[in-house]
Amino acid sequence: QQQQPQQQQRPMQHHQVGQAPTTNRNNVINPMSAMPSQTSLLSQSSSTERSLTNTPLYDRLVSEEVKDLKEYIRITENLSRRVIDLEKIHFDLEHRLEEEQIKVQNLEHTLRQREKTWKGQCDTLEKENAESQKLIRDEKVKVNKLLDMVNRLQNEIRNMIMNKFSGGYHPNQNQYHMQ
């Protein structure tokens, strides 16, 4: 009868030791939560020594430990696969980022070249505009001088005609005399 309470206590201790791994909010398995504590390992080892005399319990405990170890191995393998997948994703993202950086640098270089080209064209057009404005001013000055000269000549011709005919000679009178 004494062995029955011990047998009942040992499975309870084992359930404390071999708790299932917990998961956090992101459903990531925390393998450390499933690891047995040092005190539970000590109590397990002392219970294992006592159970050596009782073979079926020992076999059951060992098989549960094997299950737990297999579960830890499965968790570790899953985490290793996840790490490998994340490393692949990281490498892919890093590679894409580098490609995008090269594209951005090429675009910036092209932009700088086009800005230089546009600035050169703009400067050329501004120079041409300034030269055209100067030519227009020069031509206006020449036109104004010519108009002044024409006006003076017209005035001189009018004055000459007025002086020539002002002496009592009227062009209308000459027409009557000639007839």
Side-chain angles (χ1 to χ4, degrees):
Q1 282 183 334
Q2 268 187 338
Q3 285 184 347
Q4 278 183 341
Q6 283 180 351
Q7 287 176 355
Q8 289 174 353
Q9 282 182 341
R10 285 188 189 126
M12 286 174 44
Q13 287 175 351
H14 180 54
H15 287 297
Q16 291 173 352
V17 171
Q19 294 174 347
T22 61
T23 58
N24 65 10
R25 282 183 271 154
N26 296 329
N27 289 329
V28 175
I29 297 174
N30 184 0
M32 296 308 287
S33 65
M35 300 295 288
S37 66
Q38 286 183 340
T39 56
S40 61
L41 285 176
L42 291 176
S43 65
Q44 183 181 3
S45 66
S46 64
S47 66
T48 306
E49 290 174 3
R50 280 183 257 147
S51 68
L52 287 177
T53 58
N54 193 353
T55 307
L57 177 63
Y58 177 75
D59 290 341
R60 190 172 61 193
L61 289 176
V62 169
S63 67
E64 287 179 8
E65 287 176 3
V66 168
K67 284 181 188 177
D68 288 343
L69 288 175
K70 285 181 181 179
E71 181 66 20
Y72 292 142
I73 290 171
R74 185 187 64 77
I75 291 169
T76 304
E77 288 173 348
N78 286 339
L79 289 175
S80 295
R81 273 187 247 122
R82 180 71 179 149
V83 166
I84 290 170
D85 289 343
L86 290 174
E87 285 176 348
K88 286 179 184 177
I89 291 169
H90 175 74
F91 177 76
D92 182 53
L93 289 174
E94 194 172 295
H95 181 69
R96 281 197 259 166
L97 180 65
E98 288 171 357
E99 287 176 348
E100 289 299 318
Q101 181 64 27
I102 290 170
K103 286 179 183 178
V104 167
Q105 287 175 347
N106 289 338
L107 286 174
E108 287 175 349
H109 178 69
T110 303
L111 178 65
R112 282 191 299 270
Q113 285 179 337
R114 288 192 178 166
E115 283 178 347
K116 286 179 184 178
T117 302
W118 282 108
K119 186 175 180 184
Q121 288 178 350
C122 185
D123 290 343
T124 302
L125 290 174
E126 286 176 356
K127 286 178 185 177
E128 287 176 4
N129 186 25
E131 290 173 3
S132 300
Q133 293 295 330
K134 184 181 179 218
L135 285 174
I136 290 171
R137 282 191 306 269
D138 291 345
E139 289 298 317
K140 282 184 180 181
V141 168
K142 286 180 186 177
V143 167
N144 286 336
K145 285 181 182 179
L146 288 173
L147 285 174
D148 285 344
M149 197 184 314
V150 167
N151 286 334
R152 256 184 288 139
L153 286 173
Q154 281 179 346
N155 287 336
E156 285 178 18
I157 292 171
R158 190 177 323 124
N159 287 337
M160 283 175 35
I161 293 174
M162 296 287 276
N163 287 336
K164 184 176 181 183
F165 295 110
S166 70
Y169 176 75
H170 295 292
N172 292 335
Q173 290 177 353
N174 284 339
Q175 286 179 355
Y176 294 116
H177 291 287
M178 293 185 132
Q179 291 177 347

